[in-house]
Amino acid sequence: CNFKDDIRSLKKDNCIIVMDFKENVCLKQSAEEIGSDFYNKPQRTIFGVAIIYKDSSNEKQTFYFDIVSTCLSHTSFFVYSGLLKVFESVWFQSMQFQRCSFWMDNGPAHFKTKEIVYYFIQLQKIFKVKVNWNYFGEYHGKSL
């Protein structure tokens, strides 16, 4: 499946979900730091989810979720936990999507596992939505 074709054929009750981990960010950075400050900076991971859909006037829209966490492990379980938050949100529930098409990179530790297949099937069962998933080609852009 081609990402552009997926967008062109988007229907009102469907959505496309593009997701990826951003680089972990360090907090408490300053121009002057003593040795212990340099080595003891707290970090956060950012998991970005962009949802492309058609509104009531059939116009393409994008809604963003950014999940910021102290958990720095980019695992399939983290992805599932983040997607649960998205699917359980008031906004997502109000949209009543019937089909979700996921697009993600080739991250072997979190997106290309047997676990993620299981988690996508769980999302399908829990939220009564049809799910398919796709991967962007290696070394190609994976953001909107």
Side-chain angles (χ1 to χ4, degrees):
C1 190
N2 182 316
F3 182 65
K4 289 180 182 176
D5 289 341
D6 222 4
I7 290 176
R8 271 193 291 276
S9 63
L10 188 62
K11 295 184 173 114
K12 263 190 187 174
D13 60 350
N14 297 353
C15 70
I16 298 168
I17 299 175
V18 180
M19 58 186 180
D20 194 21
F21 283 99
K22 310 302 182 234
E23 184 175 335
N24 289 347
V25 294
C26 291
L27 307 176
K28 296 185 176 180
Q29 290 188 351
S30 67
E32 293 182 26
E33 298 173 339
I34 59 174
S36 63
D37 289 340
F38 181 79
Y39 292 105
N40 295 316
K41 290 181 190 150
Q43 291 188 357
R44 300 293 184 269
T45 193
I46 301 173
F47 180 59
V49 177
I51 301 175
I52 304 166
Y53 66 99
K54 293 223 173 152
D55 64 15
S56 58
S57 59
N58 214 28
E59 294 294 319
K60 185 178 79 165
Q61 302 293 331
T62 306
F63 195 90
Y64 296 94
F65 286 90
D66 291 313
I67 298 166
V68 180
S69 176
T70 57
C71 177
L72 302 178
S73 61
H74 296 176
T75 63
S76 298
F77 182 72
F78 185 99
V79 171
Y80 177 62
S81 299
L83 289 174
L84 277 176
K85 290 190 179 304
V86 170
F87 276 56
E88 291 169 346
S89 72
V90 172
W91 177 83
F92 193 89
Q93 290 290 311
S94 73
M95 298 304 291
Q96 299 180 335
F97 294 120
Q98 299 298 307
R99 177 181 298 274
C100 295
S101 179
F102 289 94
W103 281 86
M104 62 212 110
D105 69 8
N106 280 293
H110 44 271
F111 293 138
K112 281 196 137 178
T113 65
K114 291 176 185 174
E115 280 182 319
I116 202 69
V117 172
Y118 172 77
Y119 293 140
F120 282 147
I121 291 168
Q122 292 306 306
L123 288 173
Q124 188 168 271
K125 287 179 181 178
I126 295 167
F127 296 99
K128 309 289 188 253
V129 60
K130 292 187 180 178
V131 171
N132 67 15
W133 54 95
N134 310 277
Y135 298 96
F136 289 108
E138 291 184 42
Y139 308 109
H140 287 78
K142 56 187 181 267
S143 65
L144 300 179

